[in-house]
Amino acid sequence: MSAISTVILIVLVLLAVMLAVAGVGIYFLVKLGTKATVKAKQTATRITTHVNAMGQGEAAEAERLRLDLQRELTLTRQAVAQAHRHGWDLGDLPHLLSELTQQADIHDGQLAIYAQQRRMSPYVDHATLGRLREHQAKLTSMCARIRADLLGSQVQHASSGIDDLNARTELEIESHRRTPDPLDEIDELYSKTMQERRDLP
């Protein structure tokens, strides 16, 4: 009887372990599926935006503005991340970039709504696109100014590094040059003098 109860206990323990492993597996599959769904939605939105931007009219212009703003933000994020990797003092710039990203997301949503309404109905306030263009110009200008400042700092850092390397290279090359021996110089002058005397008539 005890052997049977031991076997039953082992089977129950194995069953419990398999259920726990299956539960963890299902949890990770659900999590992976959720991430895949979010990525698929983002990709579909991006493709739709690119397709709509190829058209004509104000709706297509609004979609092109969205793409332009996304590109500017991506370039600016990359520039800030690169400066951060190099250990430069960025001050409050990452926080400002975060606020700029939030404003750009709001602006992107407004452009999307405008483009959708413009495609659905011809009765849209045309002045709204003008205001959206102004906001777009300010946001992209901020992105460009941040990148220009970071690039200027990078060039300045590189310039000082290049100048330092150039000076050290010159010193190293100079130290490896053979110092002329004074006796060799005297022998050379003597040989020249003797040759000149022989050449004289």
Side-chain angles (χ1 to χ4, degrees):
M1 190 72 176
S2 69
I4 294 175
S5 63
T6 305
V7 170
I8 291 173
L9 183 63
I10 291 172
V11 169
L12 288 174
V13 168
L14 287 174
L15 190 59
V17 169
M18 288 188 339
L19 283 173
V21 169
V24 170
I26 290 171
Y27 170 76
F28 281 116
L29 283 175
V30 168
K31 200 166 186 180
L32 186 64
T34 305
K35 283 186 179 178
T37 304
V38 169
K39 284 284 185 188
K41 283 181 183 177
Q42 289 174 346
T43 304
T45 303
R46 200 174 299 127
I47 290 171
T48 304
T49 303
H50 278 279
V51 170
N52 289 335
M54 293 178 194
Q56 296 292 324
E58 292 181 349
E61 182 184 352
E63 297 290 0
R64 286 191 292 273
L65 289 174
R66 292 180 69 197
L67 292 173
D68 184 45
L69 184 59
Q70 290 169 8
R71 184 177 58 248
E72 291 292 318
L73 280 172
T74 301
L75 289 172
T76 307
R77 280 194 209 101
Q78 289 172 351
V80 171
Q82 182 181 17
H84 183 68
R85 276 194 306 273
H86 287 118
W88 298 350
D89 180 26
L90 297 175
D92 204 30
L93 200 55
H95 180 68
L96 288 173
L97 181 60
S98 174
E99 289 185 24
L100 176 60
T101 302
Q102 289 174 359
Q103 288 297 324
D105 287 343
I106 293 169
H107 180 68
D108 181 70
Q110 292 169 347
L111 284 170
I113 290 169
Y114 179 85
Q116 181 184 20
Q117 290 178 356
R118 195 69 183 99
R119 279 192 298 273
M120 301 289 203
S121 168
Y123 305 108
V124 177
D125 179 14
H126 297 286
T128 302
L129 183 59
R131 288 195 298 275
L132 288 170
R133 283 189 196 117
E134 289 173 14
H135 294 170
Q136 175 90 6
K138 288 177 184 175
L139 290 168
T140 53
S141 172
M142 282 186 274
C143 289
R145 283 175 24 220
I146 289 171
R147 290 197 312 273
D149 181 63
L150 290 173
L151 183 59
S153 297
Q154 184 179 7
V155 169
Q156 185 177 357
H157 281 285
S159 176
S160 62
I162 290 170
D163 290 343
D164 178 55
L165 182 62
N166 185 41
R168 288 184 6 238
T169 303
E170 289 296 327
L171 287 172
E172 188 63 27
I173 290 172
E174 192 63 37
S175 71
H176 282 94
R177 282 194 182 135
R178 196 183 74 131
T179 308
D181 188 3
L183 291 176
D184 290 343
E185 290 181 358
I186 291 171
D187 284 346
E188 189 180 340
L189 283 172
Y190 179 75
S191 298
K192 282 185 182 177
T193 305
M194 293 305 289
Q195 184 65 35
E196 287 174 2
R197 282 188 183 168
R198 278 191 221 121
D199 291 343
L200 286 174

